[in-house]
């Protein structure tokens, strides 16, 4: 007897074809059949998360390394809890798939026609309507004949636009027959206009060659579009200093001698700020402009060309249908000679013997750098916190070795994202995450999942007892006065290191640099579970590159 091919099987196989190795999920009665019958026997490992928000952040971190991530929840009560994580992935162009187990056709019709209420349901359309706003495609699988087409549409849009996709899988559709997949899914091509590409390359090539102090600015789309090798080759060909954004930090290895730092406005190093200020032409490739990616600075559009996605903008010059990949490829094919008069001074590292006594925010990052704790096998993660400032100046040698969420900036992201990063990383790599205490309180259950799956990220919790970055964003003057923090920014204090006893992992507290060094050494030796290091810093301590802001 011929075995029928089902909708649930189709969805699973398509996810496998895209390279998905792990599915972050919360148990739910509307999803259990698909999980049991199709995911469990597949090559996709089920990662049982503790809540939907953490699962969403974990899938996001996973997708940034693997190129695809996925989460599965039950209707409304589950899926709506993940909305913030998916909105963040949408804002940051991260390709994650939301599979929403949903009530059957019969239940929907009964609810609509009689008013009988089933658990988790509002009106049967709420989830789909909400997710349409934060995904590249949102589909409902309520017909097995249409299911293959709709699944392919959603997944193709996800990998093409590098944004989330939403698939509503009705419980009674999972085992219904459908046609098996035809071929493999691949991203749709961004349509290029050859004349526009040629015109843009000619104009910007001329400007590059005439500039006395040109600089290249690499943005997040280099990573999202998989153009790492192309970007490296172009930098080498041009032989120009280059900078990145916070969101694109370490998009290629920061060991490159042409790397001139992260340009993030007044939070940048003085050397990087000087380089950009003195430059007479900046070629931005895949750069995203946002307040957190340009702190305290305004882009000079008269000297900055922005080539991103499929447009070129330079002052009043505009060219459409110029894909970033096409622009780079065309520029690479040209013979080009650029001025290389700008010198890159190596950053100075504070000597180890300089550190003693209590830990300051700046001292912490100087210490981590001086001890060479972040080697070329480390993936660094930073939460939306004062850690952004320390992270900007931290040298990261691993290509694609820095993960943060500065565009959306939802605090609490990096702890659970470290779960996904730990599952997606290469075997020789280690994940090190820096989080604020306020953010960590939001998603602390990530330690449960990490311990359950024997993952070993090292998480530094900067314990200053406040939502420091929120206070800083609204009124930074308080950090340099005797004025008290706003009551709304003051946290209930936790003994973070003791959470290790609750979750079954390992933890340390560091009040001094000696204790910090011992904790770091012990955490490196702990390869079987997450390590948390509670770093106590004064409430009003700031990284040096955050001190420019007064109000």
């Amino acid at each position: 007897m011929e075995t029928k091919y089902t909708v649930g099987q189709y969805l699973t196989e398509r996810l496998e074809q895209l390279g998905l190795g792990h599915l972050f999920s919360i148990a739910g009665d509307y999803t259990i059949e698909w999980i049991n019958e199709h995911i469990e026997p597949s090559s996709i490992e089920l990662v049982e998360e503790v809540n939907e928000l953490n699962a969403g952040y974990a899938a996001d971190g996973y997708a940034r390394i693997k190129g695809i991530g996925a989460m599965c929840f039950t209707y409304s009560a589950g899926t709506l809890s993940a909305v913030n994580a998916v909105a963040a992935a949408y804002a940051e162009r991260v390709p994650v798939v939301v599979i929403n187990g949903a009530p059957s056709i019969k239940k929907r019709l009964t609810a609509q026609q009689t008013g009988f209420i089933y658990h988790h349901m509002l009106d049967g359309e709420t989830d789909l309507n909400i997710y349409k706003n934060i995904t590249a495609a949102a589909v409902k699988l309520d017909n097995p004949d249409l299911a293959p087409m709709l699944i392919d549409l959603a997944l193709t849009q996800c990998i093409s636009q590098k944004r989330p996709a939403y698939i509503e899988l009705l419980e009674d559709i999972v085992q219904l027959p459908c046609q098996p997949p035809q071929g493999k899914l691949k991203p749709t091509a961004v349509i290029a206009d050859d004349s526009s590409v040629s015109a843009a390359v000619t104009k910007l090539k001329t400007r590059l060659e005439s500039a006395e102090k040109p600089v290249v600015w690499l943005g997040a789309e280099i990573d999202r579009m998989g153009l790492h090798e192309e970007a490296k080759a172009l930098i080498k060909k041009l032989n120009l200093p280059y900078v990145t954004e916070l969101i694109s930090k370490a998009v290629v290895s920061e060991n490159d001698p042409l790397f001139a730092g992260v340009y993030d406005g007044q939070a940048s190093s003085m050397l990087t700020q000087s380089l950009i200020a003195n430059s007479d032409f900046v070629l931005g490739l895949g750069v995203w402009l946002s307040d957190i990616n340009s702190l305290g600075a305004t882009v000079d559009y008269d000297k900055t060309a922005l080539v991103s996605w499929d447009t070129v903008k330079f002052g009043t010059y505009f060219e459409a249908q110029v894909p970033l990949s096409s622009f780079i490829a065309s520029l690479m094919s040209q013979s080009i000679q650029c001025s290389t008069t700008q010198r890159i001074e190596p950053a100075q590292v504070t000597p180890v013997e300089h550190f003693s006594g209590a830990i300051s925010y700046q001292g912490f990052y100087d210490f981590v750098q001086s001890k060479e704790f972040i080697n070329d096998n480390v993936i660094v993660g930073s939460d939306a916190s004062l850690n952004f400032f320390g992270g900007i100046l931290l040298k990261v040698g691993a290509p694609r070795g820095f993960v943060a969420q500065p565009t959306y900036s939802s605090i609490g992201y990096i702890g659970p994202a470290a779960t996904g990063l730990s599952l997606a990383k290469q075997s020789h790599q280690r994940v090190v995450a820096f989080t604020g205490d306020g953010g960590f309180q939001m998603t602390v259950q990530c330690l449960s999942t990490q311990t359950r799956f024997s993952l070993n990220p090292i998480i530094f919790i900067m314990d200053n007892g406040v939502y420091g970055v929120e206070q800083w964003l609204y009124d930074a003057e308080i950090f340099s006065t005797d004025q008290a923090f706003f009551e709304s920014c003051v946290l209930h204090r936790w003994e973070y290191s003791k959470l290790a006893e609750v979750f079954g992992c390992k933890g340390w507290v560091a009040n001094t640099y000696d204790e910090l060094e011992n904790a770091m050494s012990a955490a490196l030796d702990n390869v079987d579970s997450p390590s948390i290091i509670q770093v106590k810093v004064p409430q009003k301590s700031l990284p040096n590159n955050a001190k420019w802001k007064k109000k």
Side-chain angles (χ1 to χ4, degrees):
M1 181 177 175
E2 184 177 354
T3 303
K4 67 179 181 180
Y5 196 91
T6 67
V7 172
Q9 189 176 353
Y10 189 103
L11 176 57
T12 304
E13 187 170 332
R14 280 304 199 201
L15 291 171
E16 287 180 307
Q17 288 175 356
L18 291 178
L20 187 73
H22 297 83
L23 175 68
F24 300 91
S25 180
I26 305 292
D29 55 336
Y30 293 142
T31 63
I32 283 177
E33 185 169 20
W34 180 61
I35 295 292
N36 289 351
E37 296 297 324
H38 299 289
I39 293 298
E40 293 287 7
S42 76
S43 63
I44 300 172
E45 181 179 359
L46 187 68
V47 180
E48 296 90 350
E49 267 287 2
V50 292
N51 64 54
E52 291 81 6
L53 181 62
N54 280 21
Y57 287 151
D60 177 297
Y62 185 90
R64 290 181 192 234
I65 302 294
K66 285 288 191 180
I68 190 74
M71 60 194 93
C72 177
F73 311 125
T74 199
Y75 199 70
S76 285
T79 310
L80 298 186
S81 294
V83 163
N84 189 61
V86 178
Y90 183 87
E92 302 238 336
R93 286 194 179 272
V94 181
V96 295
V97 184
V98 183
I99 296 101
N100 186 10
S104 66
I105 297 172
K106 181 177 290 187
K107 288 177 181 177
R108 288 168 184 260
L109 290 174
T110 300
Q112 290 167 4
Q113 298 299 320
T114 69
F116 185 89
I117 299 175
Y118 292 92
H119 66 284
H120 301 338
M121 281 187 67
L122 296 175
D123 62 7
E125 300 298 328
T126 304
D127 293 26
L128 182 66
N129 289 334
I130 288 174
Y131 271 89
K132 283 178 180 178
N133 297 287
I134 53 173
T135 58
V139 300
K140 177 171 63 177
L141 307 183
D142 58 2
N143 185 310
D145 294 332
L146 296 176
M149 177 186 69
L150 293 174
I151 291 170
D152 287 358
L153 169 66
L155 295 181
T156 299
Q157 287 289 77
C158 179
I159 61 175
S160 300
Q161 295 191 35
K162 311 300 180 185
R163 276 183 160 149
Y166 169 88
I167 298 175
E168 194 166 295
L169 179 62
L170 273 63
E171 59 181 332
D172 56 339
I173 296 296
V174 174
Q175 299 294 63
L176 294 184
C178 69
Q179 293 297 313
Q182 302 297 313
K184 299 290 180 69
L185 299 180
K186 61 181 181 180
T188 57
V190 180
I191 300 175
D193 180 90
D194 292 341
S195 62
S196 294
V197 173
S198 178
V201 168
T202 298
K203 183 173 184 65
L204 299 191
K205 173 179 177 289
T206 300
R207 189 68 190 90
L208 274 169
E209 291 183 318
S210 64
E212 295 181 2
K213 296 181 178 181
V215 174
V216 178
W217 191 11
L218 298 182
E221 285 177 14
I222 295 295
D223 180 68
R224 302 302 191 266
M225 304 307 293
L227 297 172
H228 313 89
E229 294 304 317
E230 292 85 346
K232 284 169 57 179
L234 181 61
I235 292 294
K236 183 177 180 180
K237 178 185 179 70
L238 298 176
N239 193 32
L240 292 176
Y242 74 92
V243 297
T244 58
E245 301 179 273
L246 175 57
I247 195 171
S248 58
K249 178 178 170 64
V251 65
V252 295
S253 173
E254 294 184 347
N255 292 332
D256 190 320
L258 292 171
F259 175 63
V262 174
Y263 180 60
D264 198 2
Q266 294 189 59
S268 318
S269 72
M270 295 308 298
L271 292 172
T272 303
Q273 290 187 58
S274 176
L275 184 83
I276 295 296
N278 293 331
S279 173
D280 53 350
F281 180 63
V282 179
L283 177 61
L285 301 175
V287 168
W288 294 346
L289 301 179
S290 74
D291 57 347
I292 304 298
N293 281 321
S294 55
L295 286 164
T298 302
V299 173
D300 186 343
Y301 295 103
D302 289 333
K303 74 173 187 181
T304 305
L306 297 171
V307 185
S308 57
W309 204 254
D310 59 359
T311 62
V312 175
K313 291 166 278 190
F314 178 34
T316 59
Y317 176 77
F318 175 81
E319 205 73 63
Q321 289 188 283
V322 183
L324 179 58
S325 58
S326 300
F327 179 88
I328 293 175
S330 180
L331 189 58
M332 278 292 296
S333 70
Q334 305 283 318
S335 174
I336 186 168
Q337 188 68 42
C338 299
S339 169
T340 56
T341 58
Q342 296 232 67
R343 294 183 58 198
I344 305 169
E345 301 291 340
Q348 299 299 312
V349 178
T350 306
V352 175
E353 57 268 20
H354 174 79
F355 302 97
S356 63
I359 303 169
S360 69
Y361 228 117
Q362 182 63 45
F364 167 79
Y365 273 95
D366 288 342
F367 186 79
V368 168
Q369 187 78 77
S370 69
K371 296 296 293 183
E372 299 182 354
F373 186 70
I374 307 300
N375 60 39
D376 292 354
N377 295 321
V378 168
I379 295 177
V380 177
S382 176
D383 209 33
S385 61
L386 295 175
N387 287 290
F388 273 175
F389 296 98
I392 284 171
L393 303 183
L394 198 62
K395 183 178 179 182
V396 178
R400 306 183 69 208
F402 184 84
V403 174
Q405 193 204 61
T407 303
Y408 193 72
S409 285
S410 184
I411 66 174
Y413 163 79
I414 202 59
T419 304
L421 295 172
S422 297
L423 290 166
K425 69 176 180 61
Q426 299 178 49
S427 59
H428 67 278
Q429 294 178 314
R430 191 80 179 264
V431 175
V432 174
F434 302 97
T435 180
D437 44 0
F440 192 68
Q441 286 191 9
M442 291 185 174
T443 51
V444 63
Q445 304 98 318
C446 64
L447 295 174
S448 177
T449 307
Q450 292 161 6
T451 302
R452 179 177 184 174
F453 287 87
S454 300
L455 305 179
N456 60 9
I458 300 172
I459 302 175
F460 290 91
I461 305 158
M462 303 303 288
D463 177 12
N464 58 7
V466 292
Y467 289 119
V469 73
E470 306 299 341
Q471 176 69 69
W472 183 89
L473 285 167
Y474 182 77
D475 183 1
E477 283 186 333
I478 287 179
F479 285 90
S480 58
T481 69
D482 294 331
Q483 186 179 350
F485 277 81
F486 299 141
E487 189 63 30
S488 60
C489 291
V490 177
L491 296 168
H492 174 64
R493 300 304 291 260
W494 290 11
E495 289 298 332
Y496 299 95
S497 61
K498 293 183 179 179
L499 291 170
E501 300 172 19
V502 176
F503 293 107
C505 54
K506 293 186 177 181
W508 298 266
V509 60
N511 294 281
T512 66
Y513 291 104
D514 286 341
E515 291 176 352
L516 178 59
E517 183 170 14
N518 292 335
M520 288 162 58
S521 177
L524 285 173
D525 290 339
N526 176 33
V527 296
D528 299 319
S529 76
S531 298
I532 52 175
I533 301 177
Q534 177 184 358
V535 183
K536 291 198 173 183
V537 294
Q539 192 178 72
K540 292 192 175 182
S541 182
L542 281 176
N544 288 345
N545 58 333
K547 293 179 179 179
W548 56 268
K549 187 175 183 290
K550 300 304 178 186
K551 174 62 177 177

